[in-house]
Amino acid sequence: MDRKTRTYRKGAVIYRDRMIPRGTSTEHLLEEDGPTDWLHMDPWRVLRIQSEFVEGFDALAELGPAVAVFGSARTKPEDPYYKAAERMGALLAQNGIATITGGGPGIMEAANRGATLNNGVSVGLGIELPHEQGLNEWVNLAMNFRYFFVRKTMFVKYSQGAIVCPGGMGTLDELFELLTLHQTHKVDRTPVVLYGSEYWSGLQDWLRDTVLASGNIDDLSFVMTDDPEEAVNIAASEIYGAPLE
C-alpha cells in the first residue's frame, strides 16, 4: 500500500516526514539573531580553507621565479646568519628572482630586507599565531594565513628552490616537508640548501649515518654550504639552468 509522505528537497538531499528541516536555507540565511555555532563547525572551516587557497593562488600566480628562504625568527641583526640571509635576498633580487619568507623577524626579515633594498620582490607569507609576530617592514607583497598547511602549499607551489638557514621547529617543519615531498616524488627535485655547516652538520651526519644507512630513506635530498653566493646559485639552479652572475 502506497503512503503519501511529505517530501522536501535541499539541493541534492531529499528529506521526508520527521527528517524535514523546520526552516529553509533562505530563512536561515536571512535570520538576524540566529545562533552562530555554525561559525565553528567543519563545513564552515572548509570554506575558510578554500578561501585561503583561492586568495593565495590569486596573489602569487604571477609572481615569477622565486626562492624561499627559511630560518629562525629569533636571529638578531648583528648575527652573521642575519647578514648572510640579507645577502641572499640581495643576490636573488639582483638576478630578478623573488624572495619568499615567512614574513616574520630574524632570518626572514633579513632576506626580505636584502630583496627590498635591491628593488626586488619581497614576499612574506605570515601565519596567525597566539604570540603574534606581525609582518616585518621589508615585505612588499604579504599574506597572512590561518592554516599552516595552506601556507606550506604556497611555499612549495611558488618557489623553485629553498635555502634553509639555522632555525627551530618551524624551520625544521618546512625542511622536512620539502624532503618528504622529494622522497615520495610528489614534487620535482626542487633544490634544497642547508646554510651553515656548524649548525646543520649534526643533522646531516645522523640522516646519513643512521637513517640512510638503515635504508629508511633513498638519499639526502639537500646540499650544505657556508657561502651565501653558493647557496643562492644552487637554490636558483632550476630557474635559469645555469649559475647566476
Side-chain angles (χ1 to χ4, degrees):
M1 177 179 174
D2 293 336
R3 69 185 185 93
K4 293 182 179 179
T5 58
R6 292 188 306 135
T7 300
Y8 178 79
R9 293 178 181 272
K10 186 178 181 182
V13 183
I14 297 173
Y15 298 92
R16 285 179 175 161
D17 293 334
R18 64 188 297 272
M19 297 303 296
I20 294 175
R22 294 187 178 183
T24 66
S25 297
T26 300
E27 286 174 334
H28 292 311
L29 175 66
L30 298 178
E31 282 180 352
E32 292 184 8
D33 299 313
T36 59
D37 292 347
W38 55 273
L39 284 170
H40 310 291
M41 295 179 178
D42 286 343
W44 187 249
R45 290 193 181 99
V46 169
L47 294 177
R48 282 179 177 160
I49 292 166
Q50 177 180 300
S51 72
E52 287 206 345
F53 276 114
V54 170
E55 289 168 357
F57 295 156
D58 187 55
L60 302 174
E62 298 179 352
L63 181 63
V67 165
V69 180
F70 301 111
S72 175
R74 304 181 185 187
T75 306
K76 303 302 182 185
E78 61 272 15
D79 193 300
Y81 288 128
Y82 184 104
K83 300 182 187 306
E86 184 175 353
R87 176 64 176 152
M88 293 169 195
L91 288 168
L92 290 169
Q94 290 163 11
N95 285 277
I97 301 171
T99 297
I100 306 179
T101 78
I107 292 292
M108 296 172 279
E109 174 187 287
N112 287 135
R113 177 189 176 105
T116 295
L117 289 178
N118 285 270
N119 201 33
V121 178
S122 181
V123 181
L125 304 180
I127 186 70
E128 181 182 290
L129 295 173
H131 47 286
E132 184 61 46
Q133 294 178 330
L135 291 164
N136 69 69
E137 63 180 313
W138 300 101
V139 169
N140 54 37
L141 175 58
M143 287 195 66
N144 211 42
F145 294 89
R146 291 173 183 258
Y147 302 101
F148 270 111
F149 58 88
V150 180
R151 180 186 187 228
K152 286 195 284 187
T153 298
M154 300 304 152
F155 276 122
V156 174
K157 182 174 176 61
Y158 292 106
S159 62
Q160 289 79 52
I163 303 172
V164 186
C165 297
M169 293 299 185
T171 303
L172 289 168
D173 180 46
E174 297 290 358
L175 169 60
F176 280 98
E177 178 82 14
L178 286 169
L179 298 183
T180 300
L181 291 171
H182 284 183
Q183 192 82 168
T184 55
H185 304 288
K186 293 295 185 181
V187 298
D188 292 333
R189 287 286 177 147
T190 303
V192 177
V193 183
L194 300 188
Y195 179 80
S197 59
E198 183 179 358
Y199 191 88
W200 293 115
S201 59
L203 175 64
Q204 177 181 253
D205 292 346
W206 176 73
L207 287 172
R208 182 190 62 231
D209 299 338
T210 302
V211 184
L212 180 62
S214 299
N216 290 324
I217 57 176
D218 296 330
D219 55 36
L220 298 184
S221 306
F222 59 82
V223 295
M224 190 162 58
T225 182
D226 292 308
D227 179 23
E229 283 77 8
E230 184 180 19
V232 169
N233 264 309
I234 296 170
S237 61
E238 293 298 310
I239 295 174
Y240 295 121
L244 302 178
E245 295 181 1

